[in-house]
Amino acid sequence: MMKIGLLGHGVVGSGVRRIIDEGRTEEVSGLSVKRILVKDQKEVSDERMTLSYADILEDEEIDTVCECMGGLEPAHTFVLDALNHGRNAVTSNKKMLATYLDELMSAAEENHVLLMYEASVGGGIPWISSLNEIRRVDEIESFRGILNGTTNYILSGMNEKDADFDEMLAEAQKLGYAERNPADDIDGMDVRYKTVLSCAAAFDAVLKPQDVPAYGVRYISKEDMAYAKEHGRVIKLIGEGAASGHAVHAFVMPQMLAQNDYFSMISSNINAVECTSSTLGTAGFTGQGAGSLPTAHAVVQDLLNLEDHRTMARRYLTARDVDNHDVCRVFYIRTAKPEVFTGIVDQKINEHVLLTKKVSLEEIDAILKQDETAFVCGVNE
Ligand code: HSE
């Protein structure tokens, strides 16, 4: 029986404990949560709970550490210590893993253990394991995804109910989709971490999060949504990645999609992600990208894959630079500083809104550094 040390008993951790304790299937009955690390004496509600990580690390029976704490520290140090003590580890913490990917994957490799992260991208959607399975047959060429439930909830409400940004953000927070600091959701950082982890699973590439251009929806207005609608389009926040020769493209940006695009129909807080490979073509996955039980489901799937000794996740990752110079688009821009964009304007919609000529993502990224409150949106062909 796999004996698990669970770190954190919040939204995700409590879901993991519940699924394992209920043991509804024969497979799940083979898992056992032996200890649970909590932060505060007030949280202690079960005899397995402890305030000391040493109780988990020094327990020789515990073979797997499952990190559902969130945040960078102490989650990072705890996972590193677990790997260095010969434990397999599972994490749902995209920010921590994307930030320390190289170090943690190297530690897993050196200690001949595995580090699994299904739940950290797309919540309950079996995305990382699907990439691994597809890669047994074929190389992944590209992927794109709606990977943040909060912003999809906001954009869907603005589009369908003509609602305000702030009203929809408050609803998403109330429903428990948003991060503790929703800046990570609305500024595209959460999708950036998920894009970095998807590039690792799809291309064996370790990208530095700060190298991946990321634009969010903080500055979107009702007028932008209305413009998209008038032109038969829908705005979605998308993370994309592609491997082309030695280059890895990766970026996060709102995009105006045609109404019949698969992603245009993905509403509410639902996530969707698709990848393309030459033999499979394009395959899409849709589901709950956040929430206690869907995310916990993905954590438990990782635990079962470890139990089955499925070592698909043992891949050798390499540090790579992000290269977006040949990703070219038309961009829709709302700006308080239209003069910054003079050299690339194709059409002025009004004093503050313009469409650019087709330019590279590298070029627009450099120009946008002069106007940090612009709303930018790729216009897909
Ligand atoms: N804040 C994230 C979201 C949670 O809204 O998708 C899941 O990663």
Side-chain angles (χ1 to χ4, degrees), residues 263-285:
F263 282 5
S264 296
M265 339 273 173
I266 306 298
S267 201
S268 186
N269 71 319
I270 299 297
N271 283 200
V273 61
E274 63 179 28
C275 63
T276 302
S277 74
S278 65
T279 51
L280 181 62
T282 297
F285 308 84

Side-chain angles (χ1 to χ4, degrees), residues 41-333:
Q41 188 62 39
K42 279 184 274 178
E43 279 184 80
V44 176
S45 58
D46 182 309
E47 61 186 11
R48 294 171 291 181
M49 290 182 175
T50 172
L51 298 175
S52 163
Y53 185 43
D55 286 345
I56 291 177
L57 216 49
E58 287 164 15
D59 185 330
E60 294 297 329
E61 273 188 10
I62 291 178
D63 46 45
T64 306
V65 166
C66 186
E67 187 271 309
C68 304
M69 306 171 77
L72 291 180
E73 291 295 351
H76 156 246
T77 307
F78 285 177
V79 171
L80 186 61
D81 284 351
L83 299 169
N84 285 333
H85 281 74
R87 295 340 196 279
N88 289 318
V90 171
T91 180
S92 59
N93 186 341
K94 64 255 158 165
K95 180 172 185 167
M96 184 280 289
L97 185 57
T99 306
Y100 296 106
L101 187 60
D102 208 5
E103 180 192 30
L104 293 176
M105 287 299 178
S106 301
E109 199 183 316
E110 280 159 23
N111 291 288
H112 310 288
V113 290
L114 289 169
L115 171 57
M116 312 279 277
Y117 53 99
E118 180 66 73
S120 59
V121 189
I125 301 174
W127 167 236
I128 301 298
S129 57
S130 296
L131 288 172
N132 279 319
E133 294 209 355
I134 294 165
R135 292 191 58 197
R136 294 189 297 191
V137 179
D138 203 0
E139 286 179 4
I140 305 287
E141 293 166 3
S142 62
F143 68 85
R144 60 170 195 148
I146 295 176
L147 292 169
N148 182 267
T150 301
T151 47
N152 204 33
Y153 191 80
I154 294 172
L155 294 173
S156 302
M158 290 179 76
N159 183 44
E160 290 156 21
K161 303 192 287 191
D162 214 14
D164 282 321
F165 179 90
D166 291 339
E167 181 188 337
M168 293 312 298
L169 173 59
E171 276 186 29
Q173 286 178 292
K174 214 187 291 170
L175 290 164
Y177 305 146
E179 297 301 305
R180 249 174 279 165
N181 174 6
D184 270 8
D185 296 295
I186 64 178
D187 292 330
M189 300 299 129
D190 180 75
V191 183
R192 178 193 254 174
Y193 300 132
K194 292 165 177 171
T195 300
V196 166
L197 296 179
S198 298
C199 284
F203 314 129
D204 293 337
V206 178
L207 306 179
K208 292 196 188 86
Q210 64 270 26
D211 290 350
V212 176
Y215 295 91
V217 296
R218 182 188 286 271
Y219 301 110
I220 192 172
S221 72
K222 275 186 164 187
E223 289 76 33
D224 305 319
M225 201 50 97
Y227 176 90
K229 250 186 183 176
E230 272 164 34
H231 292 79
R233 287 172 177 269
V234 177
I235 298 176
K236 295 288 181 190
L237 180 62
I238 310 277
E240 276 197 42
S244 160
H246 291 296
V248 176
H249 311 310
F251 62 96
V252 177
M253 189 177 267
Q255 297 188 21
M256 272 190 211
L257 307 174
Q259 254 161 6
N260 63 358
D261 190 295
Y262 167 52
F263 282 5
S264 296
M265 339 273 173
I266 306 298
S267 201
S268 186
N269 71 319
I270 299 297
N271 283 200
V273 61
E274 63 179 28
C275 63
T276 302
S277 74
S278 65
T279 51
L280 181 62
T282 297
F285 308 84
T286 309
Q288 280 293 341
S292 176
L293 291 176
T295 311
H297 177 108
V299 170
V300 176
Q301 291 286 0
D302 271 349
L303 293 167
L304 292 175
N305 281 336
L306 284 172
E307 183 78 337
D308 288 349
H309 304 288
R310 291 182 72 174
T311 53
M312 294 187 307
R314 189 186 296 286
R315 295 194 182 276
Y316 300 99
L317 306 184
T318 314
R320 301 283 287 274
D321 291 327
V322 175
D323 178 351
N324 286 323
H325 80 273
D326 62 354
V327 179
C328 294
R329 299 271 159 94
V330 167
F331 297 96
Y332 168 101
I333 312 264

